[in-house]
Amino acid sequence: MIAVVTGSNRGLGWHVAHQLADQEFHVVACARRHEDAMAVAASIRSQGGEASPFALDVTRPQQVQELAAWLTELYGGVEVLVNNAGIMLDQGLPLPAITLSQWQRTLDTNLTGAMLMCQMILPLMRASQYGRIVNVSSGYGSLAEMGQHQAAYRVSKAGLNALTRVVAAETADDGIKVNAVCPGWARTDMGGPQASRDPADAARWITWAATLDDHGPSGAFLRDGQPIEF
């Protein structure tokens, strides 16, 4: 079985890639730089897993199309997609302090990139009538928990949650489950060293959603395996 993980070179993506490999997936480790993708694949292989690197910037449609062609030629299908690639450029900033570049880059990566990946992967999953898509979101994107500051990041994740619901509705009869997962405040480059959660533990809930059985939820926003408010 094939699992594609974007942003696999650090933080949660690194742990998810390794955890999926531990569950006998062949992991396609995606990162913007080829050498970073190769490092993830090499680490997985050193631990007895199977992995292939792929240099991918999710904001570049041509690269996403190249990934689709490569996956089709080599594997003919994909079972799992984890949309983990993400950035936060406006942490702690009020709206007037956010530049247009920060706003656009954040939405391009966190939302449009995930949309492009879903567009690419759905035909491959529909061919086998099976798939699991996990969009790595955040409580910052919950309308119920919405607050001040980092508007670009919050809006990008709220949009990602909406995208999750749309794709889940469109694939309800295709054997595909699509969920958004809030991993909590984890000690990653984005979360910082003061974060309360071990990144490997946080990643396990993303991996769990990527490997749901037929009775698992779809179209949900999940934290620690339980639904939370959009």
Side-chain angles (χ1 to χ4, degrees):
M1 298 178 76
I2 307 300
V4 175
V5 182
T6 66
S8 66
N9 57 302
R10 59 191 178 92
L12 298 175
W14 172 276
H15 290 287
V16 170
H18 284 74
Q19 289 170 12
L20 287 170
D22 287 343
Q23 296 194 34
E24 299 186 351
F25 282 88
H26 183 111
V27 175
V28 178
C30 298
R32 280 179 293 180
R33 299 196 314 163
H34 181 62
E35 54 266 40
D36 290 338
M38 288 186 65
V40 182
S43 176
I44 289 172
R45 291 174 188 149
S46 73
Q47 298 176 28
E50 296 184 0
S52 299
F54 197 93
L56 175 70
D57 182 339
V58 298
T59 69
R60 297 182 179 274
Q62 181 62 38
Q63 291 187 15
V64 175
Q65 293 170 8
E66 290 170 359
L67 173 60
W70 183 81
L71 290 168
T72 301
E73 180 179 355
L74 264 66
Y75 307 115
V78 175
E79 283 72 33
V80 168
L81 167 64
V82 178
N83 280 317
N84 171 73
I87 57 175
M88 181 190 285
L89 303 178
D90 59 340
Q91 187 168 17
L93 295 180
L95 185 63
I98 300 171
T99 67
L100 181 58
S101 175
Q102 289 172 327
W103 179 272
Q104 291 179 330
R105 286 176 59 199
T106 301
L107 267 68
D108 284 348
T109 302
N110 296 359
L111 178 55
T112 305
M115 181 277 292
L116 291 170
M117 291 296 294
C118 287
Q119 280 189 326
M120 178 273 291
I121 214 83
L122 284 175
L124 298 176
M125 291 182 169
R126 282 184 167 131
S128 60
Q129 288 288 290
Y130 178 89
R132 300 292 183 263
I133 298 175
V134 182
N135 295 321
V136 180
S137 187
S138 167
Y140 278 163
S142 167
L143 297 181
E145 300 179 18
M146 196 61 65
Q148 63 180 347
H149 297 161
Q150 50 267 341
Y153 184 77
R154 288 182 183 276
V155 170
S156 73
K157 292 302 186 180
L160 184 63
N161 290 347
L163 177 68
T164 299
R165 293 293 293 269
V166 171
V167 179
E170 291 188 0
T171 58
D173 299 324
D174 298 326
I176 299 170
K177 293 185 181 294
V178 188
N179 291 291
V181 172
C182 169
W185 187 26
R187 291 188 295 276
T188 63
D189 289 347
M190 186 180 295
Q194 302 302 317
S196 58
R197 172 161 267 184
D198 176 78
D201 178 61
R204 286 190 185 95
W205 291 107
I206 301 170
T207 303
W208 169 81
T211 55
L212 289 170
D213 62 24
D214 291 342
H215 302 291
S218 187
F221 186 19
L222 303 164
R223 180 187 289 146
D224 295 345
Q226 299 299 318
I228 60 176
E229 290 187 67
F230 281 90

